Amino acid sequence: MWDVVVVGAGPAGAAAALAARRAGAPRVLLLDRYDFPRDKACGDGIAAHAVDVLGELGVTGVVDGYAPVPALRLVGPGGGVVARELPRPAYTVPREVFDARLVAAAVAAGAELRRHTVRHLDVRADRVVLDGQVSGRAVVGADGAGSVVRRALGHPVNPDRHLALAIRGYAPARPGPPEQLIVTSAARWPAYAWSFPIGDGRANVGYGEVLRGEPLTRAHLLDRLAALLPETDPAAATGLRAHHLPLSTWRPAPGRGRLVLAGDALSLINPFTGEGIFYALLSGALAGAAAAGSPERAGARYTADLRRRLGRHLRHSSTAAWLARRRPVVDAAVRAARRDPRVYATVVELGLGDGRLDARTLAMIGVGLSAWDRPPRH
Ligand SMILES: Cc1cc2nc3c(=O)[nH]c(=O)nc-3n(C[C@H](O)[C@H](O)[C@H](O)COP(=O)(O)OP(=O)(O)OC[C@H]3O[C@@H](n4cnc5c(N)ncnc54)[C@H](O)[C@@H]3O)c2cc1C
């Protein structure tokens, strides 16, 4: 019997396997339906916070060979712009490279990697049996947006308004110094396009929007991409792929008994930025440690650990996302972030890491909103 079986070897699964090994689990099995390296539809944006979590797991060198991206340019839905240096640089590392590095680190730490598509889980008193073949004392479901483990726990997929769809591709990078570009869109709000330079002459470009009950076609996503990034010709982009993003504004219970969920399987994607890699690594690490340390009550321990580490941030980012459903709030936030570097830092921490809303930011947005509403004096 395996001590910990991890389903899915993306960032959440690799971090879970690493953490389980570090917590002393002798036998850790990492399953994925694909061989690595494999592609994953993503913006490839790696926040500094993600690199921090990996450092805590003893993994270094994950962004080696990729130039830091020191700045972020954010265009509000009303057209206002804030462009500033990021508090800490981000990176753009294609997931084909990034995920393979993480999996290699998990294997080097002693996890066993096998190619296997999990279809069925049987939870028994002393173990979980997967597909009648593999038994684990505890199982981490890190199998992404269409998680089988989540379904086994009885949780449906996120409903509309809490689920987004995005397409990404690779195109020539914009001229000029490297910066992350995010262009939000008044049409179809909440929606935005991005261009993240990789450092090799290409950029990861994409467009996503929150689902509202109507199916979104590939042609629609590409039209919107072209409208928001006019210098990008989607027809010339390579590697175009779309994927769902379960947003953290709607999350199932993190686990029960011997089963726990991490990353996208737990709907841990930031509702503003679509960032999920930092959350996947952090939740994966907590899930792996809980599964290794107390397999029979992994769910309870993990739920408490996750609440302690991310609970307040998730409450704040959900509140901020609710406020941001009104476009003028976002325009006011862009204006405030342009005026005040501290507001900018708060907005970035909320979108890329584990930051919180603060009184100064709320006050500046509020003042900006009322000033904007006031009719001009003649
Ligand atoms: C277009 C797009 C752009 C994005 N841009 C960014 C960005 O720039 N920065 C950022 O931080 N986040 C971004 N995200 C979010 C990010 O991609 C995810 O949050 C992240 O990949 C979550 O990691 P994960 O390990 O939970 O899941 P995944 O990365 O999806 O990994 C899940 C793994 O499970 C495997 N698997 C699935 N089902 C099974 C099964 N039944 N059996 C065995 N294996 C299985 C899959 O093969 C996969 O390897 C973006 C998402 C999209 C769609």
Side-chain angles (χ1 to χ4, degrees):
M1 173 143 67
W2 296 89
D3 294 290
V4 177
V5 178
V6 181
V7 184
L18 277 157
R21 285 290 299 144
R22 284 172 76 86
R27 300 195 71 219
V28 176
L29 179 63
L30 184 54
L31 300 172
D32 202 284
R33 60 181 167 186
Y34 297 122
D35 286 325
F36 285 76
R38 61 102 180 87
D39 184 27
K40 152 79 175 75
C42 186
D44 303 333
I46 313 292
H49 309 73
V51 179
D52 292 346
V53 178
L54 287 167
E56 284 160 25
L57 290 170
V59 181
T60 54
V62 284
V63 296
D64 281 2
Y66 292 86
V69 184
L72 167 72
R73 177 178 298 268
L74 174 64
V75 182
V81 181
V82 54
R84 281 186 184 278
E85 210 165 276
L86 285 161
R88 294 192 292 158
Y91 294 84
T92 314
V93 185
R95 294 287 298 275
E96 195 167 346
V97 174
F98 185 73
D99 289 19
R101 288 178 173 180
L102 301 191
V103 165
V107 170
E112 182 168 326
L113 175 68
R114 274 192 209 162
R115 183 170 177 177
H116 176 87
T117 302
V118 174
R119 299 185 196 284
H120 180 257
L121 285 89
D122 180 12
V123 182
R124 301 189 188 160
D126 63 338
R127 66 186 64 195
V128 180
V129 182
L130 298 95
D131 297 329
Q133 299 172 21
V134 170
S135 291
R137 287 186 219 285
V139 169
V140 178
D143 46 344
S147 172
V148 169
V149 181
R150 173 173 170 149
R151 217 177 309 141
L153 276 163
H155 303 306
V157 296
N158 276 26
D160 281 353
R161 295 192 173 275
H162 302 280
L163 187 65
L165 182 66
I167 194 161
R168 76 89 226 259
Y170 295 97
R174 299 160 57 241
E179 61 180 11
Q180 289 194 332
L181 171 67
I182 295 181
V183 184
T184 60
S185 160
R188 316 282 308 174
W189 180 257
Y192 76 87
W194 69 86
S195 175
F196 295 166
I198 297 172
D200 60 1
R202 294 177 304 153
N204 181 313
V205 296
Y207 168 80
E209 67 179 56
V210 174
L211 297 176
R212 270 165 298 189
E214 54 188 276
L216 299 179
T217 63
R218 180 183 166 96
H220 165 75
L221 296 174
L222 292 178
D223 279 354
R224 296 303 305 146
L225 173 61
L228 294 171
L229 297 181
E231 71 279 16
T232 301
D233 173 10
T238 59
L240 286 166
R241 279 180 82 176
H243 199 79
H244 283 110
L245 295 90
L247 305 177
S248 67
T249 46
W250 198 92
R251 300 185 307 280
R256 192 170 64 227
R258 298 174 183 275
L259 289 183
V260 292
L261 299 171
D264 284 11
L266 184 57
S267 299
L268 284 179
I269 293 192
N270 192 293
F272 298 117
T273 53
E275 294 269 333
I277 295 171
F278 161 61
Y279 293 150
L281 292 168
L282 181 58
S283 61
L286 295 175
S294 14
E296 66 292 338
R297 47 179 310 277
R301 177 174 153 188
Y302 172 56
T303 301
D305 291 349
L306 197 63
R307 187 179 302 136
R308 207 171 302 122
R309 182 62 183 80
L310 270 184
R312 188 176 284 190
H313 162 72
L314 291 172
R315 281 196 301 281
H316 281 226
S317 55
S318 287
T319 303
W322 179 78
L323 292 170
R325 293 263 152 138
R326 294 139 196 88
R327 284 192 330 246
V329 172
V330 179
D331 288 322
V334 168
R335 288 194 297 275
R338 192 170 53 216
R339 280 201 306 275
D340 185 332
R342 280 197 276 169
V343 171
Y344 174 77
T346 298
V347 171
V348 169
E349 283 298 306
L350 207 54
L352 299 188
D354 52 3
R356 294 159 195 185
L357 275 171
D358 55 37
R360 181 188 184 86
T361 300
L362 284 170
M364 283 197 66
I365 292 173
V367 168
L369 264 176
S370 49
W372 213 250
D373 286 346
R374 223 175 289 139
R377 268 191 280 163
H378 296 289

